[in-house]
Amino acid sequence: MEVPADYSPAPATPAAPAAAPAPAVATMSSKIDTTLARFRAVAAVPVITSARFLGSDRVVTTTWTVRDTQRNAKRTLHQTLFLDGATASVPAEDASLGLDAVFERGDGTWWRAVQRTTVANGNGKKRWVEVWDNEGALIASVEVSDAHGDFYVDNQIGALAWSASGTQLVYVAERKEPKRDAVDAFTYEPDFGEAYWGKRPPVLVHLALNEEEEGEWAFGAANVLDLGADVSPSKPTFILDDNKILLVGYLRAPKVWGLVYCPNRLARLYTLNLDGTDLTPLTPETDAARYPVLHASRTKAVYLSMPVGGPHNACSALHEIDFESGDMRVVVPVVEDPEVPGAFPGLFVDALTPAQTSYEDTIYATTAWYSWTKIVRIDLATGHVEKVNGREDRSYRVLHVSNRGILAVESALDQPPRLVRLGEDGEWVAVKAFTPPAAVAKLLANVEVTVEEFAPRVQAIVVRQKEQREPSPLILLPHGGPHSVSANEWGDVSAASTLGYVAHGHTVALVNYTGSTGFGNGSIYALVGKIGDLEVEDSHCVAKSLLARTDLNLDQENVYYLGGSHGGLIGAFLIGRYPGFYRAASIRNPALNLGTFSGTDIMDWSFAEAALPHDLRRPSLVTPDTYARMWTHSSYSVISGVETPTLMQLGKKDARVPNHQALEWIAWMRGNKPHVPVRTLAFDDSGHALDSMDAARYGFEATVRFFAEFRV
């Protein structure tokens, strides 16, 4: 982490000579130390990332992530749960593992394929694909180091899939790095932007598993399938009689667009022969197709789709395609507006896989549902969508669907994640929950979480202490995006920071303004062309409405702003438009000027949000006329009104919003309004999300200290 010399948080003791600290300063320092300890304790609560039944409905394999503040590292732990005797394996860390996939052999046994990366004697990485049986015996392994680069293991591109016969595998890896002894070695090959820094283009890899003698198996050589220079493969699987591969292909021309949080890219479903020939598109080029899930027969699949381009994260439709006939139909259409308040708002789905690897009559998905995440059950014959039973004050994410049952994670901002399974009576039954340490349990016992509605498309999750003796300063925290959502669920960073501020005595309002996902497609498009106005006023209205409520016991003199990305744009507008209302602001990787997004992985974003035409196949340039339009939606336009002390936090690896926007804002403020405190943090190891260990921990600490410094 780099901390520029201009950053100087409030000192723990007075700078002036004194025999002993002033009582008020000493008390504040002690309170901040306690708050930081609470933050670290909450951040260390394990968060479940995957789970599935393994060969039996009584055995579950799980993966958890833990933020280890002692080692300053985010660790991944694997654990097997044996449900019969309520026993479990000891959590173990295995950084060498990539993706894995289980093949049920039909006789009660199973094989498990895994990707493994090793480093031996400093001789560089070695990559392997292995198959293990249910008895723990190694069936076959093959080194693939010379065939390709690192495995893709993310849920956007990565995949490891068995054929129906259990004799073939397909996966995605980085293209092999060329030898640096020719001009071709310097050919520019862009990555997929945010979260994919420096990764080489993906390639498709096919492996055949051959029975050499009875009970003896061996892999053939890895076969890298060349799709050409124009299409990048993702999410491959075998279809029909294992003689074709189904995949999602992302077009690389004219630009490799950023993928994270951007499902509206140039993406189509394709089929491909096993020898890499006959790459055939199945879906229209006008639709962005993603996340296919196969029917049990492998003759058809469902997938998510939305129009190419436009606002990121609009409502998706669910389609089904028949590979034999070529017929396609819409199973669940886009929902413009819920039929009645609280009804199904449409599919705002991150992913369909790996939660469900095949289907017959129904499919399950996790979707944004107003200010929660909920699991929905979709009847594929009728298209009927229903919310799966669960506590209304909890969020749920589906982790695994099979004929052995359904596994999910249940959480809320006052409930750490726990693994649950859907019982025969349709109710969730706890499988595994970690008992939080005493300090976290004590904090949670005094936390109150409510979802407040301010308009049909505007809600806020209000988190506060139940027992609040003194008036509580308010932190207004709208999400980024703008087409995203703050959900009442537990995330390792979001829960730690929110509960940390509450532990310090703040009330936090997580604002879902017009344009948020989970409120219908009409809400998304209501904001297009109105950013910098509609969502800004929605957020300010939430602050004023909460301050007017006497039951919340809010401190009227101390209102703070915290937000990142588009939330940073909102914050810069608010402190410029309403000088003096917000006592201080902490702004993270903010989008401040729509006219200077060229060169980022989402240069289309500013055109879409300003309601300007932009074609991903034929990108537009920023002209004087378009810049003038974008300027009205940019918070640079109100910078002259800013009088609020501001802490700016930046991730140096941010591929989404250029750092120079914030740095130019800072330079203008220092040159033209030197009386307004403006400070900067820059984190070497973090990107747009600012979720690295340093950025999460020290960004929180800096914000707590900054707000305390300017409290009156």
Side-chain angles (χ1 to χ4, degrees):
M1 181 189 75
E2 175 187 348
V3 181
D6 70 309
Y7 178 71
S8 55
T13 56
V25 174
T27 300
M28 178 57 69
S29 177
S30 175
K31 184 178 180 181
I32 288 177
D33 289 343
T34 300
T35 295
L36 298 179
R38 295 292 181 270
F39 171 87
R40 292 192 295 270
V42 174
V45 172
V47 174
I48 185 168
T49 57
S50 69
R52 69 156 175 262
F53 292 105
L54 185 61
S56 164
D57 63 355
R58 309 306 300 167
V59 181
V60 176
T61 63
T62 63
T63 304
W64 305 74
T65 59
V66 178
R67 286 184 172 260
D68 187 337
T69 56
Q70 296 298 316
R71 288 169 52 176
N72 198 37
K74 187 173 182 178
R75 303 172 64 187
T76 298
L77 304 178
H78 308 279
Q79 186 177 39
T80 301
L81 308 176
F82 303 93
L83 307 187
D84 281 325
T87 60
S89 67
V90 176
E93 188 172 19
D94 191 344
S96 69
L97 286 180
L99 298 178
D100 68 337
V102 173
F103 174 70
E104 304 282 350
R105 303 192 70 206
D107 57 358
T109 65
W110 47 264
W111 284 353
R112 185 184 186 190
V114 299
Q115 299 168 333
R116 191 180 302 278
T117 302
T118 61
V119 179
N121 302 322
N123 293 327
K125 294 180 180 179
K126 299 291 186 182
R127 287 170 286 273
W128 305 81
V129 176
E130 305 168 347
V131 174
W132 300 78
D133 71 8
N134 55 294
E135 297 293 334
L138 180 63
I139 300 300
S141 68
V142 60
E143 185 182 351
V144 293
S145 309
D146 292 335
H148 54 71
D150 289 343
F151 301 111
Y152 270 90
V153 298
D154 65 292
N155 195 35
Q156 188 97 21
I157 295 176
L160 176 63
W162 282 100
S163 65
S165 63
T167 59
Q168 300 178 79
L169 288 167
V170 64
Y171 61 90
V172 183
E174 293 183 46
R175 183 180 297 165
K176 187 177 180 180
E177 186 171 358
K179 295 181 180 179
R180 301 182 68 83
D181 58 358
V183 173
D184 290 346
F186 301 94
T187 299
Y188 175 61
E189 290 185 318
D191 56 35
F192 280 102
E194 184 67 25
Y196 291 95
W197 311 291
K199 291 190 73 67
R200 296 185 57 76
V203 294
L204 208 60
V205 186
H206 174 242
L207 280 173
L209 187 60
N210 306 307
E211 188 173 17
E212 297 186 335
E213 297 181 14
E214 187 172 350
E216 298 292 329
W217 295 84
F219 279 114
N223 183 21
V224 177
L225 306 181
D226 185 6
L227 276 62
D230 295 334
V231 178
S232 284
S234 71
K235 314 308 291 185
T237 189
F238 294 92
I239 62 171
L240 300 174
D241 296 324
D242 289 353
N243 58 5
K244 282 189 178 292
I245 294 172
L246 175 72
L247 60 97
V248 177
Y250 290 98
L251 298 188
R252 297 183 63 84
K255 174 181 170 64
V256 177
W257 299 98
L259 293 186
V260 176
Y261 316 124
C262 303
N264 65 341
R265 294 320 192 196
L266 297 168
R268 304 171 74 178
L269 295 188
Y270 292 84
T271 57
L272 182 73
N273 292 336
L274 298 187
D275 62 0
T277 61
D278 194 23
L279 181 66
T280 303
L282 303 180
T283 54
E285 65 177 9
T286 54
D287 293 345
R290 68 192 194 281
Y291 292 115
V293 176
L294 290 182
H295 188 269
S297 67
R298 297 188 179 239
T299 62
K300 53 186 177 179
V302 293
Y303 65 95
L304 295 167
S305 177
M306 64 171 55
V308 167
H312 302 165
N313 281 326
C315 186
S316 293
L318 183 71
H319 298 253
E320 186 174 57
I321 181 170
D322 188 302
F323 303 128
E324 295 178 328
S325 67
D327 293 341
M328 294 193 297
R329 67 184 181 95
V330 177
V331 179
V332 180
V334 168
V335 175
E336 289 301 324
D337 291 293
E339 293 181 355
V340 296
F344 173 56
L347 291 175
F348 294 90
V349 178
D350 293 335
L352 292 177
T353 53
Q356 187 163 350
T357 54
S358 66
Y359 69 93
E360 289 184 349
D361 304 316
T362 59
I363 194 166
Y364 292 79
T366 302
T367 184
W369 190 292
Y370 306 96
S371 294
W372 294 267
T373 54
K374 298 292 185 180
I375 299 172
V376 293
R377 181 189 297 110
I378 303 170
D379 185 313
L380 294 173
T382 65
H384 177 68
V385 180
E386 63 177 350
K387 184 168 56 175
V388 176
N389 287 337
R391 289 185 52 165
E392 290 300 318
D393 61 344
R394 296 285 187 264
S395 284
Y396 295 84
R397 287 185 178 271
V398 63
L399 298 175
H400 178 75
V401 179
S402 74
N403 56 9
R404 295 191 172 92
I406 299 173
L407 297 171
V409 59
E410 176 192 83
S411 73
L413 283 166
D414 57 353
Q415 170 62 58
R418 64 175 190 159
L419 181 64
V420 294
R421 68 181 298 181
L422 195 61
E424 294 180 359
D425 59 355
E427 300 296 327
W428 294 106
V429 179
V431 174
K432 174 70 176 180
F434 283 94
T435 301
V440 176
K442 182 179 179 180
L443 170 61
L444 293 175
N446 191 33
V447 169
E448 178 183 80
V449 181
T450 59
V451 175
E452 309 287 345
E453 185 169 355
F454 300 87
R457 294 170 172 170
V458 182
Q459 293 181 348
I461 305 169
V462 180
V463 190
R464 60 194 295 267
Q465 293 184 15
K466 294 177 183 176
E467 302 295 333
Q468 185 72 51
R469 297 179 181 179
E470 299 178 354
S472 174
L474 175 65
I475 296 178
L476 192 71
L477 176 50
H479 60 74
H483 308 301
S484 179
V485 70
S486 290
N488 183 14
E489 65 178 342
W490 187 289
D492 56 357
V493 175
S494 59
S497 57
T498 300
L499 294 174
Y501 296 123
V502 171
H504 198 64
H506 294 286
T507 293
V508 181
L510 300 143
V511 182
N512 289 321
Y513 44 79
T514 303
S516 301
T517 58
F519 289 77
N521 206 45
S523 177
I524 301 293
Y525 281 88
L527 182 58
V528 172
K530 298 180 181 178
I531 69 166
D533 183 17
L534 180 56
E535 86 283 36
V536 172
E537 295 307 314
D538 280 351
S539 301
H540 192 57
C541 176
V542 168
K544 292 191 297 181
S545 298
L546 292 176
L547 289 169
R549 287 178 47 177
T550 57
D551 61 309
L552 296 179
N553 190 23
L554 294 176
D555 184 341
Q556 304 292 313
E557 298 299 319
N558 291 289
V559 182
Y560 302 103
Y561 186 88
L562 173 62
S565 189
H566 192 89
L569 179 144
I570 295 172
F573 261 112
L574 285 174
I575 62 177
R577 193 172 289 169
Y578 300 104
F581 186 92
Y582 298 91
R583 183 63 57 189
S586 179
I587 294 177
R588 300 155 49 89
N589 280 335
L592 301 175
N593 185 0
L594 272 67
T596 58
F597 264 78
S598 296
T600 71
D601 68 335
I602 57 163
M603 58 180 287
D604 61 306
W605 176 86
S606 54
F607 286 87
E609 295 303 332
L612 290 166
H614 187 273
D615 187 336
L616 296 185
R617 294 177 182 82
R618 291 174 288 278
S620 302
L621 294 174
V622 177
T623 66
D625 289 341
T626 57
Y627 189 86
R629 172 76 170 272
M630 291 176 176
W631 179 261
T632 65
H633 298 287
S634 302
S635 50
Y636 273 21
S637 64
V638 298
I639 193 172
S640 61
V642 175
E643 297 291 336
T644 303
T646 302
L647 171 66
M648 195 72 74
Q649 299 183 50
L650 304 175
K652 288 190 174 181
K653 290 185 177 180
D654 190 348
R656 187 121 300 179
V657 178
N659 284 172
H660 67 71
Q661 291 194 2
L663 296 175
E664 289 172 0
W665 190 94
I666 292 164
W668 190 95
M669 288 294 298
R670 288 180 179 158
N672 293 276
K673 294 200 167 187
H675 61 283
V676 179
V678 176
R679 298 174 187 159
T680 312
L681 290 178
F683 297 93
D684 292 326
D685 61 346
S686 196
H688 190 63
L690 284 173
D691 59 357
S692 68
M693 292 295 295
D694 281 347
R697 179 177 178 178
Y698 295 109
F700 171 81
E701 178 178 349
T703 298
V704 170
R705 294 188 183 279
F706 193 74
F707 287 174
E709 180 180 353
F710 294 100
R711 183 173 180 175
V712 295

